[in-house]
Amino acid sequence: DVLQMDAVDDAFARDVGATVIADGVERSEALAVFGDAGVSLAQGWQRGRPGPPSTIATFSPTVKIEAVTRATGVTDDDGQCRRALAASRNQTEAAVAVCEHLHRFDQLMPSVYVERDGLLRCLAQRGYWQILDGLPSGVGVLTGVMRSGERIVLHDVASSNEFLEAAPGIAAEMAVPLWVGDRVVGGLNVESLIPLTAEIEAEIDRCAALLGARLAEVGVGYSDSPLTRLARSSKQLAGLAELDEVRKAIVRMACEVSGMESALLAQRNAAGELEIVETLGPLAAAFRAIPPEDVTRLAAMVDRVSSCYTAGDLTGRPVAGTETLRGAGAVEVAVLPLISLGRRTGILAVAHGSAMYLSTDEIEPLELLAAEAARCLDLATTVAELRCRASSDPLTELGNHSAFHEALRDERLPYAVAIMDIDHFKSVNDSAGHLTGDRLLREVAGVMRDSLRGFGHAYRIGGDEFAAILPGVELQNAELACRRLCRAASLVLEPYGASISVGITVPSPGELPHEFVERADRLLYAAKRAGRGRVQTA
């Protein structure tokens, strides 16, 4: 009863940061028993008559083994740790056994980490109130051990930039790789409030070797449950911003989380209609073949619920929309709504060609993914719209002034540049009104898009001033394209007494963008002086 109470007290003491002292130890047999029970300190007549505090014995492997050997003649290289390791049934229990053992050393704070999905995850620790977990590459001493496969000892943590403070007063740190076969799967990390001795370092090395050997026996895998896959996927999804990347990631992650082979993503477009934007997997063609009206019916199925999925009854009647999938070989199908800020913005569907016997446990992580996907899609769509607004002219929907100059900086191939201006446009505004002027600008922009399709891109860079970049086009072909543009625009502008003048140039080697744009602008005004409605080249 006494030993049982001591073990409980010792565990409680570790949890609250206190230390248990065994008092009244009068016989060597009692000293050995308390040591095996994990009691950290002992005092009593067996250790000496009452005297100064230095007579209190500390149980570390060196002191404990010496004390037990002197008292009983028994040698032991810590059989308790070996027994705990041998009894461990998984990697966590093995890590706990080593941390429990090393924590019996005075002032040591051990922890065990293993690699999961590119991060170091804590399996066990002793002596800390809080854990630093999920260490990425390049952060902390342990990640250096993972890269090199070699032990690292910091005898003075204050002099190292690699040290991560998880507790105050740490003086030294030692990290040792955990080898399983020819692979480093993690590390044993020990922080100490006092300087590390050679004996302590040797014991940490020994424990790392014992732990690595046990991990090889019990395995270092972890449960790859739907929730685990969801957590992994959510972190990846949160790091994406580009709309196309987010869409591709969502269908890929839907397959990963569900364990199914194919996925579909549909979103509502500007007109409020559902549009299939991404598919994946062997049933992708069947997903894309679903008629638009059936996609709408699929969305209606989950309009008021969190999900809809097959029940394993192959004789059951499918809903319109799932018929196409079933005909293509789908045995399991799940449909989930995308909801962002209370708005239903689309659907996420997954399908599989063999039975999976879906249940709530498999569907709930998918529902959480759909919620996260809806939020990320909403954000990515908003970012894409803001970028579009920042780089496009709202009246004509052509690229704007900043988009034109950005394109000039990015252009790598030989290209021609055209600067264009509507002649007498002010008179159009004065005589026919600004609404008519705006309509003419939109119509001219449409003419430019049609005339330059396949040749280049048009931009509105001022009130009635436009520009075009024609990649890979020689000056002669650029002139022909712009003459066609002028003729097409004249059908829109001539009734109002207006026309288009154009200046075209090809950049010289080493010439800066603003230099050849100014040259094209001078050619434009040369065309105006020559009679307007002309194309001037140089």
Side-chain angles (χ1 to χ4, degrees):
D1 293 341
V2 173
L3 290 180
Q4 183 179 2
M5 181 61 70
D6 282 328
V8 172
D9 290 345
D10 192 51
F12 173 76
R14 285 196 298 272
D15 289 341
V16 299
T19 301
V20 173
I21 300 176
D23 192 18
V25 179
E26 299 180 357
R27 293 182 300 167
S28 57
E29 292 84 356
L31 178 66
V33 169
F34 280 119
D36 288 339
V39 180
S40 301
L41 300 173
Q43 65 181 15
W45 284 11
Q46 192 279 336
R47 302 300 297 148
R49 297 291 176 174
S54 61
T55 61
I56 298 177
T58 300
F59 282 126
S60 69
T62 302
V63 175
K64 186 181 93 174
I65 292 169
E66 290 177 355
V68 174
T69 300
R70 286 197 304 272
T72 65
V74 178
T75 59
D76 185 10
D77 61 347
D78 192 37
Q80 182 182 8
C81 179
R82 288 181 177 272
R83 289 193 298 271
L85 273 173
S88 62
R89 295 164 294 180
N90 53 51
Q91 58 181 351
T92 301
E93 290 183 1
V96 168
V98 167
C99 287
E100 289 278 6
H101 167 67
L102 288 175
H103 190 48
R104 296 190 187 106
F105 283 68
D106 196 23
Q107 314 295 332
L108 292 190
M109 301 161 66
S111 56
V112 174
Y113 286 75
V114 293
E115 190 274 333
R116 289 182 184 173
D117 299 319
L119 299 176
L120 284 177
R121 292 295 189 180
C122 185
L123 279 185
Q125 63 80 29
R126 286 296 181 268
Y128 301 94
W129 187 63
Q130 68 282 312
I131 304 294
L132 297 179
D133 206 353
L135 305 180
S137 178
V139 175
V141 176
L142 265 181
T143 63
V145 166
M146 294 293 293
R147 287 193 306 270
S148 66
E150 302 288 339
R151 72 201 291 266
I152 295 177
V153 182
L154 302 179
H155 291 289
D156 180 14
V157 297
S159 64
S160 172
N161 293 328
E162 302 299 321
F163 173 69
L164 295 176
E165 184 178 15
I170 300 300
E173 180 178 12
M174 178 173 172
V176 185
L178 296 174
W179 288 90
V180 172
D182 59 354
R183 183 168 65 100
V184 178
V185 299
L188 169 61
N189 193 74
V190 179
E191 294 183 347
S192 176
L193 298 170
I194 59 176
L196 292 172
T197 64
E199 291 79 11
I200 295 296
E201 290 183 23
E203 182 63 15
I204 294 171
D205 283 330
R206 186 180 73 91
C207 287
L210 291 172
L211 179 56
R214 187 56 182 162
L215 291 179
E217 295 171 349
V218 300
V220 290
Y222 58 95
S223 173
D224 195 26
S225 67
L227 284 174
T228 302
R229 297 195 295 269
L230 172 65
R232 185 167 61 241
S233 297
S234 295
K235 287 185 290 185
Q236 297 171 6
L237 191 58
L240 301 177
E242 297 294 334
L243 183 57
D244 286 343
E245 291 182 355
V246 171
R247 287 170 172 170
K248 292 182 185 300
I250 287 171
V251 293
R252 186 184 73 250
M253 293 171 182
C255 291
E256 292 175 358
V257 171
S258 66
M260 298 195 193
E261 58 192 6
S262 301
L264 167 146
L265 176 65
Q267 282 185 273
R268 297 197 182 278
N269 56 27
E273 300 168 341
L274 274 174
E275 179 181 355
I276 297 175
V277 295
E278 199 67 51
T279 59
L280 180 69
L283 294 169
F287 271 131
R288 290 192 295 270
I290 299 176
E293 59 272 19
D294 285 353
V295 176
T296 301
R297 291 194 62 178
L298 286 177
M301 288 168 53
V302 291
D303 189 44
R304 292 182 293 177
V305 298
S306 298
S307 59
C308 177
Y309 51 95
T310 48
D313 184 359
L314 295 180
T315 65
R317 298 179 60 188
V319 178
T322 58
E323 292 172 336
T324 304
L325 294 172
R326 186 166 174 176
V331 175
E332 302 285 1
V333 177
V335 182
L336 308 102
L338 299 177
I339 305 173
S340 178
L341 300 176
R343 297 178 296 109
R344 296 191 173 245
T345 60
I347 59 170
L348 176 63
V350 287
H352 200 64
S354 59
M356 296 184 65
Y357 306 103
L358 298 175
S359 67
T360 300
D361 290 339
E362 284 79 33
I363 291 300
E364 282 186 332
L366 262 181
E367 292 175 356
L368 292 173
L369 176 63
E372 179 72 5
R375 186 192 66 80
C376 291
L377 279 171
D378 219 9
L379 178 60
T381 300
T382 300
V383 170
E385 290 175 353
L386 290 174
R387 285 177 177 170
C388 182
R389 292 178 186 178
S391 61
S392 65
D393 172 52
L395 179 64
T396 64
E397 297 183 354
L398 296 177
N400 60 15
H401 183 274
S402 63
F404 170 63
H405 286 277
E406 184 70 26
L408 289 177
R409 287 193 292 270
D410 291 343
E411 195 60 60
R412 295 291 183 268
L413 297 172
Y415 59 97
V417 175
I419 303 295
M420 299 169 272
D421 186 84
I422 300 179
D423 305 317
H424 304 302
F425 186 72
K426 184 177 184 301
S427 299
V428 175
N429 278 332
D430 292 343
S431 60
H434 288 280
L435 290 179
T436 300
D438 288 348
R439 178 177 59 79
L440 285 180
L441 288 173
R442 287 193 293 269
E443 292 180 3
V444 168
V447 167
M448 289 183 177
R449 270 192 294 266
D450 293 339
S451 300
L452 298 178
R453 185 171 286 115
F455 285 91
H457 303 282
Y459 304 84
R460 184 188 179 201
I461 59 175
D464 59 351
E465 193 171 14
F466 297 82
I469 299 176
L470 297 91
V473 177
E474 296 179 353
L475 187 59
Q476 183 178 3
N477 291 332
E479 182 179 359
L480 291 175
C482 288
R483 290 190 187 279
R484 283 199 305 272
L485 187 155
C486 288
R487 287 195 296 270
S490 65
L491 299 177
V492 175
L493 297 173
E494 277 185 358
Y496 297 92
S499 59
I500 285 185
S501 295
V502 183
I504 309 173
T505 188
V506 174
S508 302
E511 194 174 15
L512 297 176
H514 75 273
E515 294 172 340
F516 57 76
V517 168
E518 289 177 1
R519 189 150 49 84
D521 203 46
R522 290 194 296 270
L523 291 168
L524 164 67
Y525 283 96
K528 285 180 175 290
R529 288 192 299 271
R532 302 182 188 274
R534 299 171 180 267
V535 176
Q536 185 74 37
T537 63

